[in-house]
Amino acid sequence: MDHNKYISNRRMLIILAFLSAFTPLSIDLYLPALPQMVEVFETTAARINLTLSLFFVSLSAGMLFFGPVSDKFGRKPVLFFGLALYTISSAFCAFSASVDTLIIARIFQAFGGGAATTIATAIAKDLYSGEERARMLATILAMVIIAPIVAPLMGALVLQFASWRTIFLILTAAGVLAFILVLPLPEPLTTRYRGSTIRSIGRLFAVLKNPSFSILLLLFSALSLPFMGYIAASSYIYINTFGLSEGAFSFYFALNSVAAMAGPMVYIKISRRVGSYSIITTSFLCLSISGMFVVTIGHLAPLIFAICLMPATLATTAMRSPSMNITLEQHEGDAGSSSALINFLGMLMGGVGVSAVFLPGDDLILSIGAMQLIIGIFDINLYVSYTLIHYGVSIVGARSQK
């Protein structure tokens, strides 16, 4: 395809990376402000954390909705609608007078943000193919992974000079900037879906009827529980439990984000010599061991807690690619619906983890460690049993080497 008639590759890369970064920016930018917001609204941490957990639920719904709708009506009209909803909702977040208003505004903000996340990937598929598309998506992913590292640092810096409301004004400005970037982009979809929107969405249920797909979908999606549980509780642990400043919290949060960024790189390096089965089972084992150390010695110091946590983070992101590939292989065709379900349930489980980490009590370190230990043990047993029953270890190992 002649990309010159659309837009330069470099500019397209910037646009798609910016759209893809909406989710981590909307989540991580205001994490340092969570304790401050509890005091401002005179509420509980669990109540404020609904702005995170419900965000994931609504974001997941937005992804499922906007993907098939954009196949029918085009990428730009649907993207503009989602960006408008995101931008207006972000402004409502900034000027919320109560925690209930903030929660509602975050729900609409997340739903609109789902359009940016989903359509960015769809546009990449529309305009690129083969190795060119693979390189483009890999570059976008590398840029997006940096967002969770930079966002808390930016949030902490903003809080040095302004209140938490300024953070949501920044997100409002991000929505406006996205409009400006996307405006000159011609419609990238050349062939639209001619069936009804309801019929295209109905393919999701056809995929779910496949038991092999559904079991692995549930198994691997469970990894989001401890991962996002830490994201939600991290500021309370470092600021309230360990007594660190907001700036120090951002440092430790960035330390864990580095482990998250290293995971895919580790997988790429070792996958040439080690099969996916071994990588996944070893990663589950690392998650369990990491959880055990978090539970036993994670309370001693912030650095010890961070070091105990890093293997779990690295293992979770290292198995992301092979686990997704194995899940997708379980169902022929319907790649779009399969991918949507994987992203949806991952986000939904993340939302559950955000709330569940606060349920046992005030010991958030114990909660995170227990979640890692339980999910790690549960997943490794279920995955090994499932593999032995349906494929056999040797078959999976052989397939992963292809």
Side-chain angles (χ1 to χ4, degrees):
M1 178 177 291
D2 182 12
H3 300 287
N4 291 327
K5 76 174 185 177
Y6 286 93
I7 199 167
S8 69
N9 280 359
R10 180 174 297 180
R11 188 170 181 181
M12 180 60 68
L13 176 62
I14 294 174
I15 293 173
L16 297 183
F18 187 65
L19 291 175
S20 300
F22 263 58
T23 297
L25 285 176
S26 301
I27 296 170
D28 299 325
L29 191 63
Y30 88 126
L31 287 181
L34 290 178
Q36 182 187 116
M37 294 166 70
V38 171
E39 297 179 3
V40 170
F41 287 114
E42 297 180 351
T43 186
T44 63
R47 185 75 174 164
I48 284 293
N49 256 65
L50 287 175
T51 63
L52 269 177
S53 59
L54 294 181
F55 182 94
F56 285 110
V57 174
S58 184
L59 177 68
S60 302
M63 289 179 175
L64 286 180
F65 175 76
F66 286 116
V69 168
S70 69
D71 286 336
K72 181 174 179 59
F73 297 103
R75 309 300 184 207
K76 284 190 68 175
V78 176
L79 179 57
F80 280 141
F81 176 81
L83 289 175
L85 182 60
Y86 177 91
T87 304
I88 295 171
S89 300
S90 297
F92 271 97
C93 288
F95 297 104
S96 295
S98 68
V99 66
D100 292 331
T101 304
L102 178 63
I103 292 171
I104 294 172
R106 283 283 285 177
I107 291 173
F108 283 100
Q109 182 194 43
F111 192 79
T117 304
T118 300
I119 294 177
T121 304
I123 291 176
K125 291 181 179 180
D126 292 335
L127 300 183
Y128 303 95
S129 61
E131 290 298 321
E132 185 180 17
R133 183 173 66 194
R135 288 192 297 269
M136 178 67 72
L137 290 174
T139 306
I140 292 171
L141 179 60
M143 295 173 68
V144 170
I145 289 178
I146 298 175
I149 301 176
V150 176
L153 297 173
M154 292 175 56
L157 181 63
V158 169
L159 292 176
Q160 298 295 320
F161 306 97
S163 72
W164 62 270
R165 298 181 186 276
T166 304
I167 292 176
F168 286 103
L169 290 177
I170 293 175
L171 294 177
T172 303
V176 175
L177 179 59
F179 266 106
I180 297 173
L181 290 175
V182 174
L183 192 60
L185 176 66
E187 173 57 51
L189 184 63
T190 56
T191 304
R192 302 185 182 187
Y193 177 70
R194 295 186 178 182
S196 67
T197 303
I198 295 178
R199 183 169 296 179
S200 65
I201 295 176
R203 293 305 303 168
L204 298 171
F205 299 99
V207 177
L208 283 175
K209 289 180 180 179
N210 183 338
S212 297
F213 178 90
S214 297
I215 291 173
L216 291 180
L217 174 66
L218 178 62
L219 188 154
F220 291 124
S221 296
L223 293 169
S224 297
L225 286 165
F227 187 82
M228 296 312 304
Y230 163 75
I231 297 294
S234 58
S235 60
Y236 299 102
I237 291 173
Y238 285 116
I239 295 175
N240 294 346
T241 302
F242 289 119
L244 301 180
S245 66
E246 293 162 344
F249 153 70
S250 298
F251 167 77
Y252 284 106
F253 189 86
L255 197 64
N256 190 68
S257 297
V258 170
M261 187 166 54
M265 300 178 185
V266 171
Y267 166 73
I268 292 173
K269 187 172 183 178
I270 67 176
S271 61
R272 298 171 184 173
R273 299 185 301 273
V274 183
S276 295
Y277 174 82
S278 298
I279 293 174
I280 292 174
T281 51
T282 302
S283 296
F284 283 141
L285 183 61
C286 288
L287 179 63
S288 303
I289 295 174
S290 182
M292 182 178 64
F293 279 115
V294 169
V295 168
T296 54
I297 64 175
H299 300 77
L300 297 180
L303 183 59
I304 293 176
F305 172 69
I307 292 175
C308 291
L309 195 72
M310 288 178 71
T313 302
L314 189 146
T316 299
T317 57
M319 72 172 104
R320 180 179 178 182
S321 295
S323 65
M324 182 175 291
N325 287 335
I326 290 174
T327 305
L328 288 171
E329 286 176 356
Q330 306 308 307
H331 190 83
E332 292 293 333
D334 296 309
S337 296
S338 300
S339 300
L341 286 168
I342 291 173
N343 290 322
F344 169 77
L345 192 58
M347 285 289 179
L348 189 62
M349 286 290 192
V352 173
V354 165
S355 296
V357 71
F358 290 93
L359 293 179
D362 296 330
D363 195 340
L364 298 177
I365 295 177
L366 177 63
S367 296
I368 292 173
M371 289 173 68
Q372 292 174 335
L373 183 60
I374 293 171
I375 294 298
I377 294 174
F378 172 80
D379 275 9
I380 193 172
N381 279 282
L382 181 60
Y383 180 64
V384 171
S385 300
Y386 176 86
T387 304
L388 288 173
I389 292 173
H390 290 271
Y391 300 104
V393 176
S394 60
I395 296 177
V396 174
R399 285 184 177 180
S400 64
Q401 295 294 338
K402 289 183 179 181

